Amino acid sequence: MLLLIGAFGLAFLEGRGQSNSMKTGTVERIKVHGNSLEGNLAGDSPDRDVSIYLPPSYQTDKKRRYPVIYFLHGFTDSDDKWYGLTKHWINLPNVVDKALADGKSQEFIIVTPNAYNRYFGSMYSNSVTIGNWEDFVATELVNYVDSHYRTLPQAASRGLAGHSMGGYGTIRIGQKHPEIFSSLYLLSPCCMMTSLNGPSNPEAIARMENVKTVADLEKADFGTKAAFASAAAWSPDPTKAPFFLELPVQEGKPQSMVLAKWTANAPLATLDQHIDQIKQLRALAFDAGSKDVSIATNNKILDKFLTTYSIPHTYEEYDGDHINRIGERIAEKMLPFFTTNLSFERSRTAKKR
């Protein structure tokens, strides 16, 4: 059972730079304990920060219940960056408030767990090294939110979305759990497929293999950090301190077993095994900027896969890069998508999870 740690919810009631006449939601930052995260070899706390956006009417309409969007942040990001608690390239509450004011969205509760860890991101995967993040998001976090907030506790009223690593987490978790999340929106999802031959750049390989200590990893470049995060999530090894993982190269040579494990965690490689579950989803959408070349390419492949199986979906490639239009996409596309596809009424037959 999840516990509220420290009994604190920081409500940010100010307008966050918006017009005084605009109704704004509030943000609470709480801690949620994850039993599935206990004992992880990385030593990360199982008590996770979680930012929660409550819509403008939540404080006044005490009998009203709301659909919930679970939003997963990207690699090296954290919930506080997305919710305006730390200055960042996006402020999600501001984006949502403006979309509401412009009539582009209905009101939702939005929930984002802090998946920043020792490896700068959990990949929302199950691993003895980092803990079972997939289980935490799909089961424990949902149960906690349903028991502590006025939600509509049913799959028809739950959406799952995310950006970059969060987009990966969305399809990874969402394709397995239509009984929990009915609608998915992927913003520039990373990591949809891995190289079958492993890293090929000698300099990148050298940087990866030169990381021997935690301090080395802290100073490493983005690509090296991403490799270690992927390994911690997809190729853990409880015998190999201090990182407890296996890299896809060793002494400059590709490691076929590790590469096989990475491929087994790539959504484009596993989609065929989850077709029945994906067909149960109410709605699925994904997009990426045309300048985000590798991600846009994989989105095209995902579009082709889904079309082959005659699975309804929405796919769009727009003029942009990995981050420059994400706020706009959330306001113009993601929030209207959930407004259309999530239920705002409690089903008589719905079972609380």
Side-chain angles (χ1 to χ4, degrees), residues 22 94-106 330-332 335-336:
M22 182 184 294
N94 280 357
V95 171
V96 178
D97 286 341
K98 189 173 187 308
L100 289 172
D102 292 343
K104 295 175 181 176
S105 176
Q106 293 282 2
I330 291 172
E332 301 283 344
L335 290 172

Side-chain angles (χ1 to χ4, degrees), residues 85-129:
L85 309 180
T86 300
K87 189 174 181 180
H88 199 40
W89 56 267
I90 193 167
N91 183 312
L92 183 59
N94 280 357
V95 171
V96 178
D97 286 341
K98 189 173 187 308
L100 289 172
D102 292 343
K104 295 175 181 176
S105 176
Q106 293 282 2
E107 290 190 338
F108 302 96
I109 296 172
I110 305 178
V111 178
T112 298
N114 183 9
Y116 186 92
N117 62 5
R118 177 178 174 182
Y119 300 99
F120 319 100
S122 71
M123 299 297 175
Y124 303 101
S125 302
N126 284 355
S127 159
V128 66
T129 299

Side-chain angles (χ1 to χ4, degrees), residues 3-64:
L3 302 174
L4 176 64
I5 306 299
F8 65 90
L10 302 179
F12 295 85
L13 302 177
E14 65 272 21
R16 297 186 298 275
Q18 302 284 9
S19 166
N20 290 334
S21 62
M22 182 184 294
K23 293 182 179 180
T24 60
T26 61
V27 173
E28 295 183 356
R29 197 178 194 214
I30 63 172
K31 281 195 182 291
V32 175
H33 179 80
N35 293 331
S36 55
L37 303 178
E38 292 178 352
N40 67 84
L41 298 178
D44 288 310
S45 174
D47 300 324
R48 306 307 302 181
D49 290 318
V50 178
S51 287
I52 299 178
Y53 172 89
L54 300 174
S57 69
Y58 190 88
Q59 304 300 335
T60 56
D61 194 349
K62 298 295 186 180
K63 294 183 179 180
R64 184 174 173 183

Side-chain angles (χ1 to χ4, degrees), residues 71-78 81-82 87-92 95 162-167 187-190 222 287-293 295-296 318-331:
F71 189 91
L72 308 179
H73 66 73
F75 185 64
T76 73
D77 274 353
S78 52
K81 291 180 178 178
W82 273 78
K87 189 174 181 180
H88 199 40
W89 56 267
I90 193 167
N91 183 312
L92 183 59
V95 171
H163 172 249
S164 193
M165 179 185 78
L187 296 149
S188 305
C190 80
F222 183 90
D287 60 26
S290 57
K291 296 180 179 65
D292 202 2
V293 178
I295 288 178
Y318 58 89
D319 182 21
D321 59 30
H322 196 57
I323 64 173
N324 70 330
R325 293 179 64 186
I326 296 301
E328 174 189 334
R329 300 299 296 182
I330 291 172

